[in-house]
Amino acid sequence: MSVPVVYFVIPCYNEEQVLPETVKRLTQKLHDMISAGLAAPDSRMLLVDDGSKDGTWRQISEFSDHNRMVSGIKLAHNRGHQNALLAGLMTAREFADCAISLDADLQDDVEVLDEFVKKYMEGCDVVYGVRNKRDTDTAFKRATALGFYRFMAALGVDVVYNHADYRLMSRRALDALSEYREVNLFLRGLVPLIGYRSAVVTYDRHERFAGESKYPLKKMIAFAVDGITSFSVKPLKMIFNLGLLTALAGFTGTVWAGIAHFAAGWAGWIAAFWSLWLLGGFILLCMGVMGTYIGKIYAETKARPRYKIEEFKRSADQDAEK
Ligand code: UDP
Ligand code: MG
């Protein structure tokens, strides 16, 4: 197989603190890969500015003016990590033989990039980066992440355990991905659905070397709920089962109350009070679950564009080629 054109796709949201270092390290990495015969000379990194509020885009355009390995796209709004990544991948698809997605903070070890490309050259269309340990994460993040993967598996959703969005995709896989039109994007669940030949490469995850995580707990929970409800309707079936159970409990309770009526000292109002709150709670909870799905249907039927590219800055020599 000939040496592939490799694109690194990097979503960036308010990353001015990390970008100079990231670009420096990745430029070096690309050079090394080119010399090692793992990447063609017109390989690039594509930085996607996800509507940052700081100087991220200014930095990206400056890099692309001076560094022939850097291209950039600017999204018109902040659309979130998944959409920014998709925008980058769909742009890279036009130029690259394969695209590798990675985070701007280089928490994912870049040394395994060689391994990614080797697997691609052996004929894999998707290569998943999987963390082999999580000791740089807090105990809380580890526990919640584990719970999340277990729950997804229990719901029958095919996700690769401990794989975030560090992965290589061939152009063929990207073409397949482009056919999925959903607005509620959860790439980790979508990519396994494509089903081409895949491989796993393990690596150690580092700490973010500067700046702050853009994923606070609130966003993490929203992301998990999104992942679950985009790929499984089992929660709806659970509601049905919960309804059956409650009805059964209600029936037993009624019989029991009838008997207790004749026993002395039974405070019926306590039972009435609790069943009211319990049932009210159950019903609201179930409506919440249903509401989540309805909200998704609403977003999907409108099918609004998932991102808008406001500006595309190609690297200095790509412009010269035109
Ligand atoms: N990111 C983005 N848009 C957002 C939030 C995050 O493009 O709205 C990017 C961010 O710049 C980074 C990647 O997504 O490159 C992962 O974010 P972060 O490192 O903050 O998440 P964590 O590693 O803490 O889960
Ligand atoms: Mg990070």
Side-chain angles (χ1 to χ4, degrees), residues 103 105 107 205 208:
D103 288 354
D105 54 14
Q107 279 186 289
R205 188 161 158 99
R208 182 178 250 281

Side-chain angles (χ1 to χ4, degrees), residues 9-15 18-19 48-52 56 75 77-85 102-108 131 137 141 164-165 188 205-206 208 210-216 219-220:
V9 177
I10 308 150
C12 312
Y13 179 57
N14 296 344
E15 296 286 12
V18 302
L19 266 188
V48 183
D49 173 33
D50 184 19
S52 299
T56 300
L75 301 191
H77 305 280
N78 177 239
R79 300 291 293 120
H81 176 225
Q82 299 288 297
N83 288 304
L85 189 52
L102 56 168
D103 288 354
D105 54 14
L106 295 190
Q107 279 186 289
D108 306 313
R131 302 176 212 179
D137 283 342
K141 187 151 181 170
D165 281 303
R188 270 170 238 190
R205 188 161 158 99
H206 308 297
R208 182 178 250 281
E212 277 174 8
S213 170
K214 311 293 181 294
Y215 266 99
K219 265 201 202 173
M220 249 166 60

Side-chain angles (χ1 to χ4, degrees), residues 262-280:
F262 298 102
W266 184 60
W269 69 270
I270 297 186
F273 177 82
W274 281 115
S275 41
L276 201 70
W277 279 85
L278 214 69
L279 276 181

Side-chain angles (χ1 to χ4, degrees), residues 56-209:
T56 300
W57 179 246
R58 187 173 29 82
Q59 278 187 351
I60 294 175
S61 12
E62 273 169 29
F63 289 133
S64 72
D65 285 339
H66 303 115
N67 184 340
R68 54 176 290 275
M69 304 237 146
V70 179
S71 296
I73 52 182
K74 179 184 193 310
L75 301 191
H77 305 280
N78 177 239
R79 300 291 293 120
H81 176 225
Q82 299 288 297
N83 288 304
L85 189 52
L86 185 75
L89 291 174
M90 291 302 112
T91 308
R93 181 164 77 108
E94 292 166 33
F95 307 95
D97 295 314
C98 62
I100 301 173
S101 45
L102 56 168
D103 288 354
D105 54 14
L106 295 190
Q107 279 186 289
D108 306 313
D109 187 7
V110 295
E111 290 317 311
V112 297
L113 287 169
D114 297 0
E115 214 59 47
F116 274 39
V117 177
K118 280 180 195 154
K119 293 274 187 217
Y120 166 78
M121 287 167 122
E122 286 165 16
C124 291
D125 282 284
V126 180
V127 185
Y128 299 103
V130 166
R131 302 176 212 179
N132 49 24
K133 53 181 193 272
R134 275 181 168 258
D135 44 11
T136 53
D137 283 342
T138 58
F140 178 73
K141 187 151 181 170
R142 255 184 314 202
T144 46
L146 185 71
F148 172 68
Y149 287 112
R150 289 244 170 96
F151 191 55
M152 289 293 268
L155 293 179
V157 186
D158 187 11
V159 280
V160 180
Y161 182 66
N162 260 351
H163 159 69
D165 281 303
Y166 191 27
R167 79 174 85 77
L168 175 147
M169 292 179 79
S170 68
R171 187 190 296 156
R172 192 163 81 120
L174 292 172
D175 287 343
L177 180 67
S178 73
E179 287 166 19
Y180 289 82
R181 299 251 154 244
E182 53 210 86
V183 177
N184 296 287
L185 253 199
F186 188 72
L187 290 169
R188 270 170 238 190
L190 272 185
V191 177
L193 287 183
I194 293 173
Y196 289 142
R197 202 173 134 193
S198 67
V200 161
V201 169
T202 55
Y203 67 96
D204 295 333
R205 188 161 158 99
H206 308 297
E207 306 232 17
R208 182 178 250 281
F209 66 86

Side-chain angles (χ1 to χ4, degrees), residues 6 22 53 59 135 144-145 149-150 170 265 285 311 318-319:
V6 180
T22 301
K53 295 185 186 71
Q59 278 187 351
D135 44 11
T144 46
Y149 287 112
R150 289 244 170 96
S170 68
L285 191 95
E311 216 177 317
Q318 267 181 325
D319 278 339

